[in-house]
Amino acid sequence: MVEYNDLIFEISRQGRVGSNLPESDVGHVDLQDKLPKHLIRDVPAELPEVSELQIARHYTALSNKNHGIDNGFYPLGSCTMKYNPKINETVARLEGFSRIHPYQPVETVQGALEVLYELQEELAVITGMDAVTLQPSAGAQGEWTGLMMVKAYHAQKGETRTKVLVPDSAHGTNPASATVAGFETITIPSNKNGLVDLEELKKHVGSDTAALMLTNPNTLGLFETEILEIAEVVHEAGGLLYYDGANANAILGKTTPGSMGFDIVHLNLHKTFTGPHGGGGPGAGPVGVKAKLIPYLPVPRVEKENDQYVLNYNEPLSIGRVKGYYGNFGILLRAYTYIRTMGNVGLREVSESAVLHANYLRKRLEPYFDAPYSQVCKHEFVLSGSRQKKLGVRTLDMAKRLLDFGYHPPTIYFPLNVEECLMIEPTETESKETLDAFADVMIQIAKEVEENPSVVLEAPHTTVIGRLDEVKAARQPILRYVKEEAAEREKEFARS
Ligand SMILES: *Cc1c(COP(=O)(O)O)cnc(C)c1O
């Protein structure tokens, strides 16, 4: 059904009010002599004039157009769009947490510091590391923090190592972080099974290797079975191993980066540990390290002295502060609540279910799509739309068609080493009915590609806005409301 607000964008009418402000009791203030001339408006701001009911409907209509985990399936690979338990929100809103200030004396925020300290300890166990910093505010910032520690570690030993090795299936943030941290990225090609090619790796490892960045299971959802040999090769050359743990859904309670030989790891609490994400923020990308890297961790470090929790700024080899205060406290609290709610056994079951769900969906879909790496996967898997491409329909078209059925599409065209890639991560929180319904729709779309491709090529059909000009949307985004332009756009987007 098309709603009133979909048809009419401009709902402002002169003189209509939605608020009822009391008379000002400060009298008239003449701004002319209080503000610099160039800051004073000649004409009043053109603000929309609407009633309270209209504004309520406007924002409700906007929110209904949004797709989120609370209103539908969201199998976005490498992003772990799992359910965000509501108890996390309740805890994050407790006054003792939400109404404190980061500059309060530490004696008055012992509870908050206790949560941070315990979370550090728990994440150290989960990753098999010796210490953790909670400061970085995203996965990418965690990577950069880790690499700055790599740099400091080698420098302290009097070594200049300039190269960071990254497999071709890696998340784009890995080479980006290496570059920002001042390293040169060397890409290691995968072998035909989608795993790190050990022989290729050996060719590139040397006295200039600062670190290898890897994720295991890798971005194809496959477990690197030669991980111990890989770690040995890098360590023998004096390099460090960095684990991209953004998506830890396959290893929780099963294994740890520490036991695989890694020295540094970041986690995305806004993925694996149920922090809400999407829409840009806020995230949390804690970093764990083995003992030899502890001196380089960011300050302040949250520590326990006798029965008191303290902030320790006094670490001479520290890379310094990487974020204001102590991290995104609200997201850290949610992750702590999640870990405490699940417990050891619960976290292990998360991995088992996530892997089971991914393999179930993979098995249902493999007959209908090309499967370049058809083997047991971990928490996610990739398919290729190359069979459909031969019929003139691309993966992008199929992704758009999914919107007609109320699904957020999987990640597409990533990783880069798979043609027409679809990367699917169902997560453990979905029911079998949801997985089956999604599989049925994917199979239907595969059949449409053969029998009636135009329905896919012209999708989406049921959304408020049809297919966007993606280049224009990226190059000339309209981020500000301008009344006249809005009227124009209304015409442009109007559907017949
Ligand atoms: C999401 C993700 C990142 C980056 O995390 P951000 O919080 O978006 O910076 C890095 N690596 C992998 C594998 C990811 O999935």
Side-chain angles (χ1 to χ4, degrees), residues 66-74:
N66 236 343
H67 188 87
I69 202 70
D70 282 357
N71 61 354
F73 187 42
Y74 208 138

Side-chain angles (χ1 to χ4, degrees), residues 211-233:
L212 169 72
M213 293 182 90
L214 204 65
T215 176
N216 193 20
N218 69 20
T219 309
L220 300 167
L222 305 176
F223 195 81
E224 297 281 355
T225 45
E226 297 184 307
I227 185 59
L228 296 177
E229 287 92 324
I230 292 171
E232 203 178 305
V233 167

